[in-house]
Amino acid sequence: MSEPKIVLDEDDIRRTLVRIAHEVVEKNNGRPVALVGIHRRGAFLANRLHQLVCDLLDQQVPLGDIDIAFYRDDIASRRPDPHVNASNLDFRLEDYTVVLVDDVLYTGRTVRAAIEALFDYGRPQRVQLAVLADRGHRELPLRPDYVGKNLPTARAERVNVRVAEIDGVDEVTITELEEAFA
Amino acid sequence: MMRHLLSINDLDRQGIEQILDRAKTFTEVSEREIKKVPALRGRRVLNLFYESSTRTRSSFELAAKSLSADVINFAASGSAVDKGESLKDTVQTLSAYRPDLIVIRTPFVGAAELVAGWTTAGVVNAGDGKHEHPTQALLDVYTLRERLGSLEGANIWIVGDITHSRVARSCILAFQMMGAKVTVAGPPTLIPRGMEALCEVRYDLDDLAEADVVYALRMQNERMTDSFVPSLREYAARYQIDGRRLHPRQVLMHPGPVNRGVELAAEVIDSPQAVIGQQVEAGVVVRMAVLYDLLTGRNAPKPAITTAVPA
């Protein structure tokens, strides 16, 4: 594996989240919004975004998190995830525009699973998607509403998002996988 | 990753903890309005029951359905077994339906292991005669972990008919694996020879106050072909867990169904120390975790139903 190349550092991530928070508020124009993070790192990003949105609106908006381990379409070929988290959605989805928050948007399969999981809890007024990084290579017809950074990547590259809450540092890096040259 | 769950010995402590941690995540699913996730969509689970069962059978069925698996329920009575069809022929016949997993309960020791050799499906032992009942032990460990936080160093007394109890065998192994000290107590006629090699053995309840957990077993009249106790009344007089014998700090367990007034007095069944209801509740989430682990991942059997991918 090559040396990781930093594409977003701590300051970049902070500024990016502030911008996305403003976009969420502007786009929803007074409509009630709720933020739902996709486990694991999306949940931490949603938490930060939630704080920023609440500050901008000067009111509390609902925050939840969702685990999509049981909704994946590749469940039969994956090793069962040892870290499945319980989802927390303790508000009525029907009353809100739900902004799903994830770290990286890639094939779109995680988001598809998250939407399916969300609908097991209720029927939101609308669902929007916010991602810190969009690396392309979509396999489903999905498009994010809020993008931190578009990252043109090759499939042989890996985008790594690290967040201070669990990784001790905020950064987004790209590494090249050696298998690509095997 | 395991393909079958035939005995508690198929797992180690880490394996047990992983199943119980996953079971914990499924409690959230059980509390939703829609108590279902699509994790095992397209998988087939065959419940093959050669003995009566309320809790085990219904909880396996509910666990499979909560994970969106398709369930085929087979009960021996009223089937071709009544016409003399053997276990092997029944399994091979039902294998034509291409189940991904067979959950089997039989009165025959070792039957689950035999079935595992006759089918390409995964097999879960839901009780084979007097031998083992691993998922019962897992749900008991789960219940105790919820109540005590940890089994490490806990003093657990298993009281009653040890000889005929598959629950006792699986529980002794599982409790010890999780760091508990296990004592079995009961009439000498209902404790198998050589038990001392496995755990401490008592023939009376004089020191029951030592226990943190009292696990009472059912008197299994259906498996007793000889007179193991003079009478149930005498058994109850010496071994029944009642309000006098059960200390307020102790946890009371029972795998069910309870013979009220025999192994347990009515006043303790409904006491706050009893976690019998929690054991039943744990049965669903623990079995969901077992099915999920056996039917997902690279070593799982190939799905019986393949979805055609449009060109």
Side-chain angles (χ1 to χ4, degrees):
Chain A
M1 215 178 304
S2 68
E3 276 298 299
K5 179 179 142 200
I6 296 175
V7 288
L8 290 174
D9 63 16
E10 188 179 342
D11 283 344
D12 296 330
I13 290 174
R14 185 176 43 76
R15 280 193 299 270
T16 300
L17 290 175
V18 169
R19 174 174 54 79
I20 291 175
H22 278 91
E23 288 176 1
V24 167
V25 171
E26 185 184 10
K27 185 165 181 163
N28 288 293
N29 194 22
R31 282 194 304 244
V33 292
L35 294 157
V36 174
I38 301 173
H39 274 292
R40 284 180 82 200
R41 286 167 181 78
F44 294 108
L45 296 172
N47 201 21
R48 295 189 211 176
L49 206 50
H50 172 255
Q51 192 56 59
L52 294 163
V53 169
C54 289
D55 289 348
L56 287 171
L57 292 172
D58 197 22
Q59 66 179 57
Q60 280 298 307
V61 303
L63 171 68
D65 51 72
I66 201 158
D67 193 294
I68 54 102
F70 304 130
Y71 291 82
R72 298 194 65 100
D73 61 1
D74 56 355
I75 209 159
S77 59
R78 286 169 63 91
R79 185 181 303 277
D81 185 350
H83 303 292
V84 178
N85 300 278
S87 300
N88 291 297
L89 287 166
D90 53 1
F91 55 93
R92 262 180 55 84
L93 294 178
E94 288 76 3
D95 300 335
Y96 296 96
T97 291
V98 170
V99 181
L100 278 174
V101 183
D102 205 3
D103 53 356
V104 180
L105 178 59
Y106 182 24
T107 62
R109 290 176 188 272
T110 296
V111 175
R112 182 214 62 81
I115 293 169
E116 188 180 350
L118 207 56
F119 276 76
D120 272 357
Y121 287 89
R123 188 175 177 275
Q125 288 179 5
R126 58 186 61 73
V127 180
Q128 297 172 349
L129 176 62
V131 294
L132 185 60
D134 180 357
R135 62 166 297 189
H137 304 286
R138 210 78 73 244
E139 292 170 4
L140 294 169
L142 287 164
R143 179 184 55 77
D145 299 272
Y146 314 102
V147 183
K149 189 173 179 65
N150 284 297
L151 291 176
T153 58
R155 277 192 182 272
E157 291 174 316
R158 176 179 292 165
V159 176
N160 316 288
V161 173
R162 301 170 78 200
V163 293
E165 291 89 337
I166 44 174
D167 305 307
V169 64
D170 277 342
E171 65 178 17
V172 179
T173 59
I174 295 183
T175 45
E176 217 165 85
L177 301 175
E178 278 173 12
E179 297 88 280
F181 305 101
Chain B
M1 189 169 320
M2 52 180 190
R3 281 230 28 231
H4 308 294
L5 179 59
L6 308 174
S7 159
I8 279 292
N9 282 326
D10 291 338
L11 298 164
D12 54 14
R13 182 171 180 159
Q14 191 190 355
I16 290 177
E17 280 172 346
Q18 186 179 304
I19 287 172
L20 303 192
D21 290 347
R22 200 183 305 287
K24 182 79 178 162
T25 67
F26 283 125
T27 57
E28 183 265 328
V29 175
S30 296
E31 288 159 3
R32 294 183 198 178
E33 199 173 336
I34 296 173
K35 301 171 181 63
K36 209 177 178 84
V37 290
L40 298 183
R41 193 162 42 196
R43 298 298 192 145
R44 285 181 184 168
V45 175
L46 169 63
N47 285 332
L48 189 53
F49 277 65
Y50 278 77
E51 276 185 339
S52 333
S53 165
T54 302
R55 293 156 196 73
T56 306
R57 185 175 159 172
S58 56
S59 64
F60 264 114
E61 183 175 351
L62 194 53
K65 286 178 172 172
S66 299
L67 293 168
S68 304
D70 298 308
V71 183
I72 309 160
N73 284 315
F74 170 93
S77 61
S79 72
V81 171
D82 292 343
K83 300 173 186 172
E85 190 174 55
S86 70
L87 174 65
K88 185 174 186 177
D89 286 342
T90 301
V91 168
Q92 290 183 333
T93 299
L94 293 170
S95 290
Y97 299 141
R98 300 184 65 193
D100 298 293
L101 193 80
I102 297 175
V103 176
I104 181 160
R105 164 170 291 189
T106 74
F108 319 118
V109 171
E113 198 163 341
L114 280 175
V115 169
W118 295 333
T119 175
T120 54
V123 175
V124 178
N125 181 5
D128 58 338
K130 300 186 287 185
H131 179 225
E132 277 219 51
H133 191 356
T135 58
Q136 176 69 44
L138 290 173
L139 72 90
D140 290 334
V141 173
Y142 179 92
T143 305
L144 280 178
R145 216 172 63 150
E146 290 292 292
R147 183 74 171 227
L148 305 174
S150 164
L151 275 71
E152 192 64 55
N155 192 339
I156 304 176
W157 278 50
I158 301 176
V159 179
D161 177 2
I162 310 294
T163 295
H164 300 96
S165 177
R166 54 194 173 208
V167 172
R169 266 166 201 70
S170 291
C171 279
I172 291 165
L173 295 171
F175 292 162
Q176 288 179 334
M177 232 180 254
M178 301 306 287
K181 175 179 180 281
V182 180
T183 300
V184 298
T189 49
L190 290 175
I191 295 183
R193 266 180 302 183
M195 202 71 195
E196 295 81 359
L198 198 57
C199 60
E200 197 165 328
V201 176
R202 303 287 180 91
Y203 299 112
D204 55 55
L205 301 186
D206 295 351
D207 298 322
L208 189 69
E210 291 174 4
D212 301 305
V213 178
V214 179
Y215 195 119
L217 296 170
R218 187 171 62 89
M219 285 295 279
Q220 300 195 43
N221 300 321
E222 76 276 18
R223 293 193 211 282
M224 292 194 193
T225 51
D226 303 306
S227 298
F228 288 91
V229 291
S231 70
L232 289 180
R233 182 183 298 215
E234 186 163 334
Y235 173 84
R238 294 199 58 189
Y239 296 102
Q240 183 186 85
I241 309 299
D242 57 14
R244 287 178 305 110
R245 289 195 170 116
L246 190 71
H247 194 277
R249 68 169 180 81
Q250 291 175 323
V251 178
L252 176 67
M253 303 181 83
H254 191 293
V258 178
N259 292 315
R260 277 180 182 256
V262 181
E263 63 265 11
L264 292 181
E267 75 261 19
V268 298
I269 296 172
D270 306 317
S271 72
Q273 294 113 293
V275 292
I276 299 166
Q278 287 91 313
Q279 287 172 269
V280 176
E281 209 174 321
V284 176
V285 289
V286 166
R287 287 171 177 131
M288 282 171 83
V290 167
L291 297 183
Y292 180 82
D293 273 15
L294 288 173
L295 287 176
T296 58
R298 295 182 186 90
N299 293 344
K302 293 273 178 288
I305 303 161
T306 51
T307 311
V309 181

